Amino acid sequence: MDKIVDRQALVGELNQKFGECAEIFEDNTNQSIKVKPDKIVEVMKELRDNPNYELNLIMNLSSVDYPENFTVVYHLNSLTYRHKLTVKVELDKATPQLPSIVSVWKAADCMEREVYDLMGITFTGHPNLKRILLADDFVGHPLRKDFKHNA
Amino acid sequence: MLKTQELTLNMGPVHPSTHGVYRCVLNLDGEYIQNAVNHIGYLHRGLEKLAESRTYTQFIPYTDRLDYCSGLSNELAYVMAVEKLMGIEEEIPERAQYLRVILAELQRLGSHGIFLGSFALDVAGATGYFYIFRERDRVLELITRVGGNRLTPNFMRIGGVRNDLGEDFFTELKDLMDSFEPAFEEYNGLLTGNEIFQSRTKGISVVSKEMAMDYGFNGPNLRSVGVDYDLRRDEPYLVYDRMQFDVPVTHNGDLFDRFVIRLKEMEQSVRIIKQAMKEIPEGPVMAKVPKVIKPPVGEAFHRIENAKGHLGFHLVSDGSTKPYRNKIYAPTFVMLSAFPEMAKGTHIMDAVLILASIDIVLGEVDR
């Protein structure tokens, strides 16, 4: 079983520090919190550096095209405490964009480029936001549900 | 008139030293690298999109094509993620768990064999290459016996493994494990202890602990910089918690360490396989899973200690027979992004080695 962070305390601490920005996200994994897009960089820095949590490794950066929104999912992991946390950011369908966290982890660089390339989510402040897997002249973002593929 | 000029050199996409269809553009000052830029995507097959139109079971063979040097471990990561999504991790029969451990470690031997062999070739030591590939080929022969294919066995199933393995497999496996010990001595003699090899690799492309964590290193590359973190021991899955093994850690973070750590890991893999062979119980190899796999609405992220790093699957289910989203976390895709910084300021002949030391497989990088 995964070791999970005390989300209640964490969310309280984050809200106190950065103003109402985080809440517990109920899903089947019981390890997710939801963060407002414009606060993501501060929250990530805090999660990495706060000695009570030290979520110092980013395990995965994923994105899902739900019918109601785009969700960017960060899976974080602590080497010190061996616990895990999932951070979710919900974006509206029309203009999906959020700040880049390359300043927190350089590992996010290529992962954000991949999400941009395949899902069409813009990361503002990213140093080099270009397509990474597909050709530069490719039209569309294949992982979106409205993209039709012929296979 | 005499003048110096920066030279732009294109390496790849088809080049023996790039270990696949990978291209990088190097800016050279003489023979020293000023800047490197990665270009990937030549092998992109859209596996994540394909997964959305395949059932959960149908996707298992596709995972073989990720990191094609360790097909069985990829399948294992995927089926374990599906099992987590369905909530049946506890129901997998013991014998199947042991078989999975044995096969995953066997595959690790094969994958590290490729790394060591091709690394030897990249330092222009063709002899080492042949010695290491001798054992690696025997590993592949065993995998052929398991799944009928050398690289794409398609053997793991959601709920267990495809079929039980007979006595003859274990006899041959034991034979192979016994021959690994003298083989390690040969590898060490040919490469690790070789003075030319050491002078090519020691102290070159040193990665610090901070840089490794920043760039999201994991697996052997992270352990080579002194971070003691192995999922098999720290977040045990299957029956790894019953196995006695050490997690090798080195502290310099240079090319030599990244080579040596894999050699040491192979020794531990042999140790694990020998124990598992002794302890494996009799019994069924498949849990009772429904014919049509329909995980409940929800999501799961699971990762295992693959040969190259942590291979993870983020699966989202909408309750139907096909995944709503299947995100593959490929370790080498992330680690490759550190190549420009690792290569900066090094000699061009070392850049080839640095690239090899990350242990990239383009099937996984491009998906």
Side-chain angles (χ1 to χ4, degrees):
Chain A
M1 256 328 263
D2 297 342
K3 212 171 136 194
I4 296 162
V5 181
D6 178 6
R7 292 183 292 166
Q8 201 74 49
L10 172 68
V11 165
E13 213 170 303
L14 289 174
N15 282 342
Q16 204 189 2
K17 255 191 183 146
F18 306 112
E20 292 304 306
C21 64
E23 57 185 278
I24 290 177
F25 188 90
E26 289 307 333
D27 58 13
N28 65 322
T29 60
N30 293 323
Q31 57 181 45
S32 313
I33 62 167
K34 194 176 108 179
V35 175
K36 279 190 183 149
D38 48 335
K39 291 279 196 264
I40 187 73
V41 180
E42 290 94 325
V43 169
M44 286 298 185
K45 267 212 180 86
E46 177 68 19
L47 291 175
R48 187 191 63 182
D49 299 332
N50 189 326
N52 293 330
Y53 301 105
E54 281 195 33
L55 291 149
N56 37 19
L57 278 181
I58 179 161
M59 290 195 285
N60 186 25
L61 198 165
S62 167
S63 57
V64 191
D65 178 5
Y66 288 113
E68 56 279 358
N69 57 39
F70 284 109
T71 304
V72 178
V73 188
Y74 305 85
H75 292 97
L76 308 180
N77 174 32
S78 168
L79 272 179
T80 331
Y81 302 106
R82 312 264 188 240
H83 57 207
K84 292 174 181 173
L85 180 74
T86 308
V87 179
K88 293 189 173 184
V89 181
E90 291 184 348
L91 307 167
D92 65 282
K93 279 280 195 186
T95 51
Q97 69 170 42
L98 78 163
S100 158
I101 58 158
V102 173
S103 56
V104 189
W105 284 289
K106 284 192 184 130
D109 185 326
C110 59
M111 292 195 270
E112 283 180 351
R113 270 179 77 183
E114 187 200 343
V115 170
Y116 164 74
D117 188 359
L118 302 178
M119 194 66 93
I121 293 169
T122 313
F123 293 87
T124 51
H126 188 287
N128 183 26
L129 196 66
K130 288 194 298 196
R131 284 191 186 272
I132 184 165
L133 291 174
L134 301 171
D136 288 336
D137 56 355
F138 191 89
V139 181
H141 301 285
L143 283 180
R144 287 190 177 184
K145 289 287 172 188
D146 54 11
F147 184 93
K148 290 278 168 277
H149 63 114
N150 312 314
Chain B
M1 212 173 76
L2 212 61
K3 62 168 185 173
T4 44
Q5 194 185 356
E6 235 181 50
L7 179 74
T8 307
L9 184 73
N10 182 59
M11 186 163 103
V14 183
H15 186 285
S17 296
T18 57
H19 296 218
V21 277
Y22 156 82
R23 180 165 75 98
C24 70
V25 177
L26 303 167
N27 274 338
L28 300 174
D29 174 16
E31 288 208 336
Y32 290 91
I33 292 163
Q34 298 288 319
N35 196 21
V37 180
N38 287 337
H39 292 274
I40 57 174
Y42 294 96
L43 201 60
H44 181 61
R45 294 146 294 175
L47 288 184
E48 289 175 8
K49 186 71 177 173
L50 272 174
E52 289 171 15
S53 54
R54 302 286 184 277
T55 64
Y56 286 94
T57 322
Q58 278 175 338
F59 191 66
I60 299 172
Y62 286 92
T63 59
D64 286 331
R65 277 85 179 163
L66 282 171
D67 164 7
Y68 41 75
C69 302
S70 46
L72 284 164
S73 324
N74 300 342
E75 291 166 16
L76 180 59
Y78 174 69
V79 298
M80 285 186 76
V82 180
E83 283 159 8
K84 194 172 181 179
L85 190 60
M86 295 167 75
I88 57 163
E89 308 113 300
E90 306 295 323
E91 291 163 34
I92 313 303
E94 287 247 306
R95 188 173 174 84
Q97 297 201 29
Y98 273 95
L99 281 176
R100 283 176 172 190
V101 167
I102 290 173
L103 293 173
E105 292 307 316
L106 189 65
Q107 191 72 76
R108 192 185 313 276
L109 285 169
S111 176
H112 282 350
I114 289 213
F115 172 88
L116 301 175
S118 55
F119 199 80
L121 206 57
D122 283 334
V123 285
T127 322
Y129 169 76
F130 286 112
Y131 276 76
I132 295 168
F133 265 53
R134 179 190 59 196
E135 265 71 40
R136 190 234 165 201
D137 215 70
R138 289 184 63 192
V139 169
L140 287 190
E141 265 166 35
L142 267 177
I143 291 174
T144 316
R145 195 177 271 263
V146 170
N149 273 319
R150 283 163 66 87
L151 299 178
T152 54
N154 186 17
F155 187 69
M156 303 288 173
R157 288 291 181 274
I158 298 160
V161 293
R162 189 178 66 196
N163 54 267
D164 205 346
L165 297 175
E167 251 338 285
D168 50 342
F169 171 81
F170 286 103
T171 325
E172 249 181 66
L173 183 63
K174 190 173 179 310
D175 207 39
L176 176 62
M177 289 307 121
D178 289 338
S179 64
F180 255 112
E181 255 148 58
F184 287 139
E185 267 173 45
E186 281 178 343
Y187 303 167
N188 280 326
L190 272 166
L191 292 161
T192 324
N194 184 323
E195 209 179 311
I196 305 167
F197 178 77
Q198 289 192 4
S199 63
R200 275 298 302 276
T201 52
K202 272 194 175 168
I204 290 168
S205 150
V206 178
V207 177
S208 69
K209 206 168 159 178
E210 289 69 35
M211 179 183 162
M213 308 259 274
D214 203 11
Y215 273 106
F217 274 33
N218 46 49
N221 287 345
L222 184 64
R223 289 191 286 277
S224 78
V225 302
V227 180
D228 191 3
Y229 184 48
D230 189 318
L231 290 183
R232 288 174 295 170
R233 186 197 59 198
D234 299 327
E235 293 168 24
Y237 50 94
L238 299 175
V239 287
Y240 275 112
D241 46 353
R242 297 181 207 169
M243 304 288 161
Q244 300 282 322
F245 63 100
D246 301 325
V247 177
V249 177
T250 55
H251 294 276
N252 298 329
D254 56 4
L255 289 175
F256 185 71
D257 276 6
R258 291 200 278 279
F259 176 87
V260 163
I261 200 145
R262 286 176 169 90
L263 202 52
K264 286 186 182 159
E265 262 181 32
M266 285 174 83
E267 287 167 18
Q268 298 304 324
S269 290
V270 171
R271 219 174 128 191
I272 294 174
I273 292 180
K274 280 185 171 166
Q275 285 173 56
M277 268 198 306
K278 239 180 248 155
E279 291 169 15
I280 186 165
E282 292 295 323
V285 292
M286 244 337 242
K288 286 203 165 45
V289 286
K291 274 253 153 57
V292 179
I293 286 171
K294 266 190 182 178
V297 179
E299 62 182 283
F301 178 69
H302 190 72
R303 55 185 189 149
I304 66 164
E305 185 76 38
N306 210 344
K308 310 250 181 319
H310 301 161
L311 179 70
F313 284 87
H314 179 222
L315 293 169
V316 180
S317 163
D318 59 352
S320 70
T321 54
K322 293 168 185 169
Y324 188 75
R325 173 85 167 94
N326 178 354
K327 156 82 188 164
I328 304 161
Y329 173 82
T332 50
F333 170 69
V334 179
M335 288 190 271
L336 181 61
S337 69
F339 173 67
E341 196 170 324
M342 286 160 86
K344 205 166 272 177
T346 59
H347 208 272
I348 186 167
M349 68 178 182
D350 293 334
V352 169
L353 281 182
I354 295 166
L355 186 64
S357 76
I358 305 173
D359 201 5
I360 56 165
V361 163
L362 271 296
E364 185 179 75
V365 172
D366 291 343
R367 280 154 288 157

